[in-house]
Amino acid sequence: MSRMHFQWDWLCLGVLIISSVTAEIENEENRDTDVEVEDFDKQFEDDDVDKDKSSLEVVYQTPKPTGEVYFTETFDGILDGWVLSKTKKEDTDDNIAKYDGRWEVEELKENTVPGDRGLVLKSMAKHHAISAMLTKPFIFDNKPLIVQYEVNFQEGIDCGGAYIKLLSRSDDLNLEYFFDKTPYTIMFGPDKCGEDYKLHFIFRHKNPKTGEYNEKHAKRPDVDLKKFYSDKKTHLYTLVLKPDDTFEMLIDQSVVSKGSLLEDVVPPVNPPKEIEDPNDKKPDDWDERPKIPDPNAVKPDDWDEDEPSEIEDPDAVKPEGWLDDEPEYILDPNAKKPEDWDEEMDGEWEGPQIPNPKCETVPGCGQWVRPMMNNPNYKGKWKPPMIDNPNYQGIWSPQKISNPDYFEDLHPFEMTSVSAIGLELWSMTSDIYFDNFIICSEKEVADRWAADGWGLKKLVASANEPGMFTQLVTAAEDHPWLWVLYILTLALPVGLGVLFCWPAKKIDEDIDLKKADIPKSISKGELEQEGQELEDDKVELEEEKENKEEIVEDGKMSKSSWFNKYQDVIRT
């Protein structure tokens, strides 16, 4: 039974290791833990069932909105309505200030969907700016705002952004002069430089007292964003703003960040009611010291501040064999003065020194010095002990006064209306792909739009995924410790086969015992002989019983007689 338990333990261990390998592969696909998954559109679920089809079998049709929209763009036709900026970026060197980065409309380099094209940022280390007017302005009243678009970092990304700006509505908005200082209401999208991976959501809030605008930044998502910048896949970015002053940011229809416009942005929308008085000053006699030296303490008479911290060890003894007359280093006898040595210019030549070979086999050479030890009489410089400060008043802080700039905006969702969308970007990496922009108010409309565009890209990318072996090798390149699991996983079937199938010694012994229990045929003569032996044993038992009864009745029997009687019984 213990052997079976042992085998089952190994079997369970094998299942756990295989499960861990499988979980790691799945984790590479779904690394974003604690992500709330939204309900996918039914049509997208139907499209995602058959993932064995190649991209050549996908029939692409330009997505069309199924409800009210404020802006859509698929880039499948001519680049109509988009305006390239003709101005320059302020506060920048003239040689790079111009927005002369190139844009192209083309298909994806990998996982191509035939007929599906997007807007591609083509230039490195240049400023890019392009914008378009919305079909109709979006007014922040009682409808949600949903902004959604696709991004693919086809060459990865070193330093650059792929965010969009929703430009504030104004009578003097001229898209030909769209630049970094053009007023915007919302900025949203991915941005990365070095190892800093960001997903921006910034809105400009108008101070109701001063009329000035201040940027409010949503708190950073708690999930790891790295794979969205490095896997060279098309990802779907969605921003949802609701009239109840809440927001959600989604990547690939999964929530990566959500919160309140009143509580989860920095700096807060509403300033504090009270602030520290800028004119308040700390009094000169304010004592912030919690502890002070005891003014009544006196240095003890026997306190010697001149004692050194270390002294020579008086008990140390020079090791036997120490060579006092031998130096630790001697001149190298094999060294020769260089031929080009000029004593007038270089001085008298001295050969290099080497360790004295005579000192290698002895405790030491040269003058022996006693080792140092801590001085037991050392006390250091005397300082009075610290005591509680009777005049301690605590850490001073200015008094609070009413904030003269205080206001309370209970509905920051009611932002400045937007009338245009723009991309104003700088990147050190080219070929950033944008596609399928939509601005609407209904989640169902955005989901249907995603199913017809991004859903097909995802389907093609899944069909072109490498096989299981390639995925295992790729995962191990990122996590080398996975090789250990792979080896154990391959070794387990062999080990389990040995445990279950190899003949064991204990099993052979059990078979021999079972064979010994098999009844044998007995002849009539053998049966009569066994019967006679049983009769003899019965007589001997009766005699032994009688002898024991005699011993018990004879209570005065001596020890030696009792012992002799017992020996007779034993012999009988």
Side-chain angles (χ1 to χ4, degrees), residues 30-82:
N30 304 291
R31 189 180 299 169
D32 299 328
T33 56
D34 300 330
V35 171
E36 178 185 347
V37 179
E38 294 287 312
D39 292 335
F40 281 25
D41 185 87
K42 182 64 173 63
Q43 176 180 341
F44 174 72
E45 293 179 352
D46 294 339
D47 290 341
D48 202 37
V49 171
D50 185 6
K51 291 190 176 182
D52 294 330
K53 295 182 180 179
S54 68
S55 59
L56 296 177
E57 299 178 8
V58 173
V59 178
Y60 172 75
Q61 292 183 347
T62 299
K64 295 181 180 179
T66 57
E68 182 185 18
V69 295
Y70 299 88
F71 181 79
T72 60
E73 179 59 78
T74 64
F75 301 105
D76 291 338
I78 61 174
L79 196 60
D80 186 28
W82 290 85

CSV table of all heavy atoms in Angstrom, one decimal, residues 30-82:
chain,number,residue,atom,x,y,z
A,30,ASN,N,-1.8,36.0,-21.2
A,30,ASN,CA,-2.7,36.8,-20.4
A,30,ASN,C,-2.0,37.3,-19.1
A,30,ASN,O,-2.2,36.8,-18.1
A,30,ASN,CB,-4.0,36.0,-20.0
A,30,ASN,CG,-4.7,35.5,-21.3
A,30,ASN,OD1,-5.3,36.3,-22.0
A,30,ASN,ND2,-4.7,34.2,-21.5
A,31,ARG,N,-1.0,38.1,-19.3
A,31,ARG,CA,-0.2,38.5,-18.1
A,31,ARG,C,-0.8,39.5,-17.2
A,31,ARG,O,-0.5,39.7,-16.1
A,31,ARG,CB,1.1,39.1,-18.7
A,31,ARG,CG,2.2,39.4,-17.6
A,31,ARG,CD,3.4,39.9,-18.2
A,31,ARG,NE,4.0,39.0,-19.1
A,31,ARG,CZ,5.0,39.4,-20.0
A,31,ARG,NH1,5.5,40.6,-19.9
A,31,ARG,NH2,5.5,38.6,-20.8
A,32,ASP,N,-1.8,40.2,-17.7
A,32,ASP,CA,-2.5,41.2,-16.9
A,32,ASP,C,-3.4,40.6,-15.9
A,32,ASP,O,-4.5,40.3,-16.2
A,32,ASP,CB,-3.3,42.2,-17.8
A,32,ASP,CG,-2.4,42.8,-18.8
A,32,ASP,OD1,-1.2,43.1,-18.5
A,32,ASP,OD2,-2.8,43.1,-19.9
A,33,THR,N,-2.9,40.4,-14.6
A,33,THR,CA,-3.7,39.9,-13.6
A,33,THR,C,-4.6,41.0,-13.0
A,33,THR,O,-4.3,42.2,-13.2
A,33,THR,CB,-2.8,39.4,-12.4
A,33,THR,OG1,-2.0,40.4,-12.0
A,33,THR,CG2,-2.0,38.2,-12.9
A,34,ASP,N,-5.7,40.6,-12.3
A,34,ASP,CA,-6.6,41.5,-11.7
A,34,ASP,C,-7.2,42.4,-12.8
A,34,ASP,O,-7.5,43.6,-12.5
A,34,ASP,CB,-6.0,42.3,-10.6
A,34,ASP,CG,-5.5,41.4,-9.5
A,34,ASP,OD1,-6.0,40.4,-9.3
A,34,ASP,OD2,-4.5,41.8,-8.9
A,35,VAL,N,-7.4,41.9,-14.0
A,35,VAL,CA,-8.0,42.8,-15.0
A,35,VAL,C,-9.5,42.3,-15.2
A,35,VAL,O,-9.8,41.2,-15.4
A,35,VAL,CB,-7.2,42.6,-16.4
A,35,VAL,CG1,-8.0,43.3,-17.5
A,35,VAL,CG2,-5.9,43.2,-16.2
A,36,GLU,N,-10.4,43.3,-15.2
A,36,GLU,CA,-11.8,43.0,-15.4
A,36,GLU,C,-12.1,42.9,-16.9
A,36,GLU,O,-11.8,43.8,-17.6
A,36,GLU,CB,-12.6,44.1,-14.8
A,36,GLU,CG,-14.1,43.9,-15.0
A,36,GLU,CD,-14.9,45.1,-14.5
A,36,GLU,OE1,-14.3,46.0,-13.8
A,36,GLU,OE2,-16.1,45.2,-14.8
A,37,VAL,N,-12.5,41.7,-17.3
A,37,VAL,CA,-12.8,41.4,-18.7
A,37,VAL,C,-14.2,41.8,-19.0
A,37,VAL,O,-15.2,41.4,-18.4
A,37,VAL,CB,-12.6,39.9,-19.0
A,37,VAL,CG1,-12.9,39.7,-20.5
A,37,VAL,CG2,-11.2,39.5,-18.7
A,38,GLU,N,-14.3,42.7,-20.1
A,38,GLU,CA,-15.6,43.1,-20.5
A,38,GLU,C,-16.3,42.0,-21.4
A,38,GLU,O,-15.6,41.2,-21.9
A,38,GLU,CB,-15.5,44.4,-21.4
A,38,GLU,CG,-15.0,45.6,-20.6
A,38,GLU,CD,-16.0,46.1,-19.7
A,38,GLU,OE1,-17.1,46.3,-20.1
A,38,GLU,OE2,-15.7,46.3,-18.5
A,39,ASP,N,-17.6,42.1,-21.5
A,39,ASP,CA,-18.3,41.2,-22.4
A,39,ASP,C,-18.0,41.5,-23.9
A,39,ASP,O,-18.1,42.7,-24.3
A,39,ASP,CB,-19.8,41.3,-22.2
A,39,ASP,CG,-20.2,40.8,-20.8
A,39,ASP,OD1,-19.5,39.9,-20.3
A,39,ASP,OD2,-21.3,41.2,-20.3
A,40,PHE,N,-17.5,40.5,-24.6
A,40,PHE,CA,-17.2,40.8,-26.0
A,40,PHE,C,-18.5,40.7,-26.9
A,40,PHE,O,-19.5,40.1,-26.5
A,40,PHE,CB,-16.3,39.7,-26.5
A,40,PHE,CG,-14.9,39.8,-26.1
A,40,PHE,CD1,-14.5,40.6,-25.0
A,40,PHE,CD2,-13.9,39.3,-26.9
A,40,PHE,CE1,-13.2,40.8,-24.7
A,40,PHE,CE2,-12.5,39.5,-26.6
A,40,PHE,CZ,-12.2,40.2,-25.4
A,41,ASP,N,-18.4,41.4,-28.0
A,41,ASP,CA,-19.6,41.4,-28.9
A,41,ASP,C,-19.7,40.0,-29.4
A,41,ASP,O,-18.8,39.2,-29.7
A,41,ASP,CB,-19.3,42.4,-30.0
A,41,ASP,CG,-20.4,42.5,-31.0
A,41,ASP,OD1,-21.3,43.3,-30.7
A,41,ASP,OD2,-20.5,41.7,-32.0
A,42,LYS,N,-21.0,39.6,-29.6
A,42,LYS,CA,-21.3,38.2,-30.0
A,42,LYS,C,-20.7,37.9,-31.4
A,42,LYS,O,-20.2,36.8,-31.6
A,42,LYS,CB,-22.8,38.0,-30.1
A,42,LYS,CG,-23.3,36.6,-30.5
A,42,LYS,CD,-22.9,35.6,-29.4
A,42,LYS,CE,-23.5,34.3,-29.7
A,42,LYS,NZ,-23.0,33.7,-31.0
A,43,GLN,N,-20.7,38.9,-32.3
A,43,GLN,CA,-20.1,38.6,-33.6
A,43,GLN,C,-18.6,38.3,-33.5
A,43,GLN,O,-18.1,37.4,-34.1
A,43,GLN,CB,-20.3,39.8,-34.5
A,43,GLN,CG,-19.7,39.6,-35.9
A,43,GLN,CD,-19.9,40.8,-36.8
A,43,GLN,OE1,-20.8,41.6,-36.5
A,43,GLN,NE2,-19.1,40.9,-37.8
A,44,PHE,N,-17.9,39.0,-32.6
A,44,PHE,CA,-16.5,38.8,-32.4
A,44,PHE,C,-16.2,37.4,-31.9
A,44,PHE,O,-15.3,36.7,-32.2
A,44,PHE,CB,-15.9,39.8,-31.5
A,44,PHE,CG,-14.4,39.5,-31.1
A,44,PHE,CD1,-13.5,39.7,-32.1
A,44,PHE,CD2,-14.1,39.0,-29.9
A,44,PHE,CE1,-12.1,39.4,-31.8
A,44,PHE,CE2,-12.8,38.8,-29.6
A,44,PHE,CZ,-11.8,39.0,-30.5
A,45,GLU,N,-17.1,36.9,-30.9
A,45,GLU,CA,-16.9,35.5,-30.4
A,45,GLU,C,-17.1,34.5,-31.5
A,45,GLU,O,-16.4,33.5,-31.6
A,45,GLU,CB,-17.9,35.3,-29.3
A,45,GLU,CG,-17.7,36.1,-28.1
A,45,GLU,CD,-18.7,35.9,-27.0
A,45,GLU,OE1,-19.7,35.2,-27.3
A,45,GLU,OE2,-18.6,36.4,-25.9
A,46,ASP,N,-18.0,34.7,-32.4
A,46,ASP,CA,-18.2,33.8,-33.5
A,46,ASP,C,-17.0,33.8,-34.4
A,46,ASP,O,-16.6,32.7,-34.9
A,46,ASP,CB,-19.5,34.2,-34.3
A,46,ASP,CG,-20.7,34.0,-33.5
A,46,ASP,OD1,-20.7,33.2,-32.5
A,46,ASP,OD2,-21.8,34.6,-33.9
A,47,ASP,N,-16.4,35.0,-34.7
A,47,ASP,CA,-15.2,35.0,-35.5
A,47,ASP,C,-14.0,34.4,-34.9
A,47,ASP,O,-13.2,33.9,-35.6
A,47,ASP,CB,-14.9,36.5,-35.8
A,47,ASP,CG,-15.9,37.2,-36.8
A,47,ASP,OD1,-16.7,36.4,-37.4
A,47,ASP,OD2,-16.0,38.4,-36.8
A,48,ASP,N,-13.9,34.3,-33.6
A,48,ASP,CA,-12.8,33.9,-32.9
A,48,ASP,C,-12.8,32.3,-32.7
A,48,ASP,O,-11.8,31.8,-32.2
A,48,ASP,CB,-12.7,34.5,-31.5
A,48,ASP,CG,-11.2,34.5,-31.0
A,48,ASP,OD1,-10.3,34.6,-31.8
A,48,ASP,OD2,-11.1,34.3,-29.8
A,49,VAL,N,-13.8,31.7,-33.1
A,49,VAL,CA,-13.9,30.2,-32.9
A,49,VAL,C,-12.9,29.5,-33.7
A,49,VAL,O,-12.2,28.6,-33.3
A,49,VAL,CB,-15.4,29.7,-33.2
A,49,VAL,CG1,-15.4,28.2,-33.1
A,49,VAL,CG2,-16.3,30.3,-32.2
A,50,ASP,N,-12.9,29.8,-35.0
A,50,ASP,CA,-12.1,29.0,-36.0
A,50,ASP,C,-10.7,29.8,-36.1
A,50,ASP,O,-10.6,30.7,-36.9
A,50,ASP,CB,-12.7,28.9,-37.3
A,50,ASP,CG,-11.9,28.0,-38.3
A,50,ASP,OD1,-10.9,27.5,-37.8
A,50,ASP,OD2,-12.3,27.9,-39.4
A,51,LYS,N,-9.7,29.3,-35.4
A,51,LYS,CA,-8.4,30.0,-35.4
A,51,LYS,C,-7.4,29.3,-36.3
A,51,LYS,O,-6.3,29.7,-36.3
A,51,LYS,CB,-7.9,30.1,-33.9
A,51,LYS,CG,-8.7,31.1,-33.1
A,51,LYS,CD,-7.9,31.3,-31.8
A,51,LYS,CE,-8.7,32.3,-30.9
A,51,LYS,NZ,-8.0,32.7,-29.7
A,52,ASP,N,-7.8,28.3,-37.0
A,52,ASP,CA,-6.9,27.5,-37.8
A,52,ASP,C,-6.9,28.1,-39.2
A,52,ASP,O,-6.1,27.7,-40.1
A,52,ASP,CB,-7.3,26.0,-37.9
A,52,ASP,CG,-7.1,25.4,-36.5
A,52,ASP,OD1,-6.3,25.8,-35.8
A,52,ASP,OD2,-7.9,24.4,-36.2
A,53,LYS,N,-7.8,29.1,-39.5
A,53,LYS,CA,-7.8,29.6,-40.9
A,53,LYS,C,-6.6,30.6,-41.0
A,53,LYS,O,-6.2,31.3,-40.1
A,53,LYS,CB,-9.0,30.5,-41.1
A,53,LYS,CG,-10.3,29.6,-41.1
A,53,LYS,CD,-11.5,30.5,-41.3
A,53,LYS,CE,-12.8,29.7,-41.3
A,53,LYS,NZ,-14.0,30.5,-41.6
A,54,SER,N,-6.0,30.6,-42.2
A,54,SER,CA,-4.9,31.5,-42.5
A,54,SER,C,-5.4,32.9,-42.8
A,54,SER,O,-6.6,33.0,-43.1
A,54,SER,CB,-4.0,31.0,-43.6
A,54,SER,OG,-4.8,31.0,-44.8
A,55,SER,N,-4.5,33.9,-42.8
A,55,SER,CA,-5.0,35.2,-43.0
A,55,SER,C,-5.5,35.4,-44.5
A,55,SER,O,-6.3,36.2,-44.8
A,55,SER,CB,-3.8,36.2,-42.8
A,55,SER,OG,-2.7,35.9,-43.7
A,56,LEU,N,-5.1,34.5,-45.4
A,56,LEU,CA,-5.5,34.6,-46.8
A,56,LEU,C,-7.0,34.2,-46.9
A,56,LEU,O,-7.6,34.6,-47.9
A,56,LEU,CB,-4.7,33.6,-47.6
A,56,LEU,CG,-3.2,33.9,-47.7
A,56,LEU,CD1,-2.5,32.9,-48.6
A,56,LEU,CD2,-3.0,35.3,-48.3
A,57,GLU,N,-7.6,33.5,-45.9
A,57,GLU,CA,-9.0,33.1,-46.0
A,57,GLU,C,-9.9,34.1,-45.4
A,57,GLU,O,-11.1,33.9,-45.5
A,57,GLU,CB,-9.1,31.7,-45.4
A,57,GLU,CG,-8.3,30.6,-46.0
A,57,GLU,CD,-8.5,29.3,-45.3
A,57,GLU,OE1,-9.4,29.2,-44.4
A,57,GLU,OE2,-7.8,28.3,-45.7
A,58,VAL,N,-9.4,35.1,-44.8
A,58,VAL,CA,-10.2,36.1,-44.1
A,58,VAL,C,-10.7,37.1,-45.2
A,58,VAL,O,-9.9,37.6,-46.0
A,58,VAL,CB,-9.4,36.9,-43.0
A,58,VAL,CG1,-10.2,38.0,-42.5
A,58,VAL,CG2,-9.0,35.9,-41.9
A,59,VAL,N,-12.0,37.3,-45.2
A,59,VAL,CA,-12.6,38.3,-46.1
A,59,VAL,C,-12.9,39.6,-45.3
A,59,VAL,O,-13.7,39.6,-44.4
A,59,VAL,CB,-13.9,37.7,-46.7
A,59,VAL,CG1,-14.5,38.7,-47.6
A,59,VAL,CG2,-13.6,36.4,-47.4
A,60,TYR,N,-12.1,40.6,-45.7
A,60,TYR,CA,-12.2,41.9,-45.0
A,60,TYR,C,-13.2,42.8,-45.6
A,60,TYR,O,-13.2,42.9,-46.9
A,60,TYR,CB,-10.8,42.5,-44.9
A,60,TYR,CG,-10.9,43.9,-44.3
A,60,TYR,CD1,-11.1,44.2,-43.0
A,60,TYR,CD2,-10.8,45.0,-45.2
A,60,TYR,CE1,-11.1,45.5,-42.5
A,60,TYR,CE2,-10.8,46.3,-44.7
A,60,TYR,CZ,-11.0,46.5,-43.3
A,60,TYR,OH,-11.0,47.8,-42.9
A,61,GLN,N,-14.0,43.4,-44.8
A,61,GLN,CA,-14.9,44.5,-45.3
A,61,GLN,C,-14.7,45.7,-44.4
A,61,GLN,O,-14.6,45.5,-43.1
A,61,GLN,CB,-16.4,44.0,-45.2
A,61,GLN,CG,-16.7,42.9,-46.2
A,61,GLN,CD,-18.2,42.5,-46.2
A,61,GLN,OE1,-18.9,42.9,-45.3
A,61,GLN,NE2,-18.6,41.8,-47.2
A,62,THR,N,-14.7,46.8,-45.0
A,62,THR,CA,-14.4,48.1,-44.2
A,62,THR,C,-15.5,48.2,-43.1
A,62,THR,O,-16.7,48.1,-43.4
A,62,THR,CB,-14.5,49.3,-45.1
A,62,THR,OG1,-13.4,49.2,-46.1
A,62,THR,CG2,-14.3,50.6,-44.3
A,63,PRO,N,-15.1,48.4,-41.8
A,63,PRO,CA,-16.2,48.5,-40.8
A,63,PRO,C,-17.1,49.7,-41.0
A,63,PRO,O,-16.6,50.7,-41.5
A,63,PRO,CB,-15.3,48.7,-39.5
A,63,PRO,CG,-14.0,48.1,-39.8
A,63,PRO,CD,-13.8,48.4,-41.3
A,64,LYS,N,-18.3,49.5,-40.6
A,64,LYS,CA,-19.3,50.6,-40.7
A,64,LYS,C,-20.0,50.8,-39.4
A,64,LYS,O,-20.3,49.8,-38.8
A,64,LYS,CB,-20.3,50.3,-41.8
A,64,LYS,CG,-19.7,50.3,-43.2
A,64,LYS,CD,-20.8,50.0,-44.3
A,64,LYS,CE,-20.2,50.0,-45.7
A,64,LYS,NZ,-21.2,49.7,-46.7
A,65,PRO,N,-20.1,52.0,-38.9
A,65,PRO,CA,-20.7,52.2,-37.6
A,65,PRO,C,-22.2,51.8,-37.6
A,65,PRO,O,-22.9,51.9,-38.6
A,65,PRO,CB,-20.6,53.7,-37.3
A,65,PRO,CG,-20.4,54.3,-38.7
A,65,PRO,CD,-19.7,53.3,-39.5
A,66,THR,N,-22.7,51.3,-36.5
A,66,THR,CA,-24.0,50.8,-36.4
A,66,THR,C,-24.9,51.7,-35.5
A,66,THR,O,-26.1,51.3,-35.2
A,66,THR,CB,-24.0,49.4,-35.8
A,66,THR,OG1,-23.4,49.4,-34.5
A,66,THR,CG2,-23.3,48.4,-36.6
A,67,GLY,N,-24.4,52.8,-35.2
A,67,GLY,CA,-25.2,53.8,-34.3
A,67,GLY,C,-24.7,55.2,-34.5
A,67,GLY,O,-23.9,55.5,-35.4
A,68,GLU,N,-25.1,56.0,-33.6
A,68,GLU,CA,-24.6,57.4,-33.6
A,68,GLU,C,-23.2,57.5,-33.3
A,68,GLU,O,-22.7,56.9,-32.3
A,68,GLU,CB,-25.4,58.2,-32.6
A,68,GLU,CG,-25.1,59.7,-32.7
A,68,GLU,CD,-25.8,60.5,-31.6
A,68,GLU,OE1,-26.3,59.9,-30.6
A,68,GLU,OE2,-25.8,61.8,-31.7
A,69,VAL,N,-22.4,58.2,-34.2
A,69,VAL,CA,-21.0,58.4,-33.9
A,69,VAL,C,-20.7,59.9,-34.2
A,69,VAL,O,-21.4,60.6,-34.9
A,69,VAL,CB,-20.2,57.5,-34.9
A,69,VAL,CG1,-20.4,56.1,-34.6
A,69,VAL,CG2,-20.5,57.9,-36.4
A,70,TYR,N,-19.5,60.3,-33.6
A,70,TYR,CA,-19.0,61.7,-33.7
A,70,TYR,C,-17.8,61.7,-34.7
A,70,TYR,O,-17.5,62.7,-35.2
A,70,TYR,CB,-18.7,62.2,-32.4
A,70,TYR,CG,-19.9,62.3,-31.4
A,70,TYR,CD1,-20.2,61.2,-30.6
A,70,TYR,CD2,-20.7,63.5,-31.4
A,70,TYR,CE1,-21.3,61.3,-29.8
A,70,TYR,CE2,-21.8,63.5,-30.5
A,70,TYR,CZ,-22.1,62.4,-29.7
A,70,TYR,OH,-23.2,62.5,-28.9
A,71,PHE,N,-17.2,60.5,-34.8
A,71,PHE,CA,-16.1,60.4,-35.7
A,71,PHE,C,-15.7,59.0,-36.0
A,71,PHE,O,-15.8,58.1,-35.1
A,71,PHE,CB,-14.8,61.1,-35.1
A,71,PHE,CG,-13.6,61.1,-36.0
A,71,PHE,CD1,-13.5,62.0,-37.1
A,71,PHE,CD2,-12.6,60.2,-35.8
A,71,PHE,CE1,-12.4,62.0,-37.9
A,71,PHE,CE2,-11.5,60.2,-36.6
A,71,PHE,CZ,-11.4,61.0,-37.7
A,72,THR,N,-15.4,58.6,-37.2
A,72,THR,CA,-14.9,57.3,-37.6
A,72,THR,C,-13.8,57.5,-38.6
A,72,THR,O,-13.9,58.4,-39.5
A,72,THR,CB,-16.0,56.3,-38.1
A,72,THR,OG1,-16.6,56.9,-39.2
A,72,THR,CG2,-17.0,56.0,-37.0
A,73,GLU,N,-12.9,56.6,-38.7
A,73,GLU,CA,-11.8,56.6,-39.7
A,73,GLU,C,-11.2,55.2,-39.8
A,73,GLU,O,-10.7,54.6,-38.8
A,73,GLU,CB,-10.7,57.6,-39.4
A,73,GLU,CG,-9.6,57.7,-40.4
A,73,GLU,CD,-10.1,58.0,-41.8
A,73,GLU,OE1,-10.4,59.2,-42.1
A,73,GLU,OE2,-10.3,57.0,-42.6
A,74,THR,N,-11.2,54.6,-41.0
A,74,THR,CA,-10.6,53.3,-41.2
A,74,THR,C,-9.4,53.4,-42.1
A,74,THR,O,-8.6,52.4,-42.2
A,74,THR,CB,-11.7,52.4,-41.9
A,74,THR,OG1,-12.0,52.9,-43.2
A,74,THR,CG2,-12.9,52.2,-41.1
A,75,PHE,N,-9.1,54.5,-42.8
A,75,PHE,CA,-8.0,54.7,-43.7
A,75,PHE,C,-8.0,53.7,-44.8
A,75,PHE,O,-6.9,53.5,-45.4
A,75,PHE,CB,-6.7,54.5,-42.9
A,75,PHE,CG,-6.5,55.5,-41.7
A,75,PHE,CD1,-6.7,55.1,-40.4
A,75,PHE,CD2,-6.3,56.8,-42.0
A,75,PHE,CE1,-6.6,56.0,-39.4
A,75,PHE,CE2,-6.2,57.7,-40.9
A,75,PHE,CZ,-6.3,57.3,-39.6
A,76,ASP,N,-9.1,53.1,-45.1
A,76,ASP,CA,-9.1,52.1,-46.3
A,76,ASP,C,-9.3,52.9,-47.6
A,76,ASP,O,-9.0,52.3,-48.7
A,76,ASP,CB,-10.3,51.1,-46.1
A,76,ASP,CG,-10.1,50.2,-44.9
A,76,ASP,OD1,-8.9,50.0,-44.6
A,76,ASP,OD2,-11.0,49.6,-44.4
A,77,GLY,N,-9.8,54.1,-47.6
A,77,GLY,CA,-9.9,54.8,-48.8
A,77,GLY,C,-8.8,55.9,-48.9
A,77,GLY,O,-7.6,55.7,-48.4
A,78,ILE,N,-9.1,57.0,-49.5
A,78,ILE,CA,-8.1,58.1,-49.6
A,78,ILE,C,-8.1,58.8,-48.2
A,78,ILE,O,-9.0,58.7,-47.4
A,78,ILE,CB,-8.5,59.1,-50.7
A,78,ILE,CG1,-9.9,59.7,-50.4
A,78,ILE,CG2,-8.4,58.4,-52.1
A,78,ILE,CD1,-10.2,60.8,-51.4
A,79,LEU,N,-6.9,59.5,-48.0
A,79,LEU,CA,-6.7,60.2,-46.7
A,79,LEU,C,-7.5,61.5,-46.7
A,79,LEU,O,-6.9,62.6,-46.8
A,79,LEU,CB,-5.3,60.4,-46.4
A,79,LEU,CG,-4.9,60.7,-45.0
A,79,LEU,CD1,-5.3,59.6,-44.0
A,79,LEU,CD2,-3.4,61.0,-44.9
A,80,ASP,N,-8.8,61.4,-46.6
A,80,ASP,CA,-9.7,62.5,-46.8
A,80,ASP,C,-10.0,63.2,-45.5
A,80,ASP,O,-10.3,62.5,-44.5
A,80,ASP,CB,-11.0,62.1,-47.5
A,80,ASP,CG,-11.8,63.3,-47.9
A,80,ASP,OD1,-11.3,64.4,-48.1
A,80,ASP,OD2,-13.1,63.1,-48.0
A,81,GLY,N,-9.9,64.5,-45.4
A,81,GLY,CA,-10.2,65.2,-44.2
A,81,GLY,C,-9.1,65.4,-43.2
A,81,GLY,O,-9.2,66.2,-42.3
A,82,TRP,N,-8.0,64.7,-43.4
A,82,TRP,CA,-6.9,64.8,-42.5
A,82,TRP,C,-5.9,65.9,-43.0
A,82,TRP,O,-5.6,66.1,-44.2
A,82,TRP,CB,-6.1,63.5,-42.4
A,82,TRP,CG,-6.9,62.5,-41.6
A,82,TRP,CD1,-7.8,61.6,-42.1
A,82,TRP,CD2,-6.8,62.2,-40.2
A,82,TRP,NE1,-8.3,60.8,-41.1
A,82,TRP,CE2,-7.7,61.2,-40.0
A,82,TRP,CE3,-6.0,62.7,-39.2
A,82,TRP,CZ2,-7.9,60.6,-38.7
A,82,TRP,CZ3,-6.2,62.2,-37.9
A,82,TRP,CH2,-7.1,61.2,-37.7
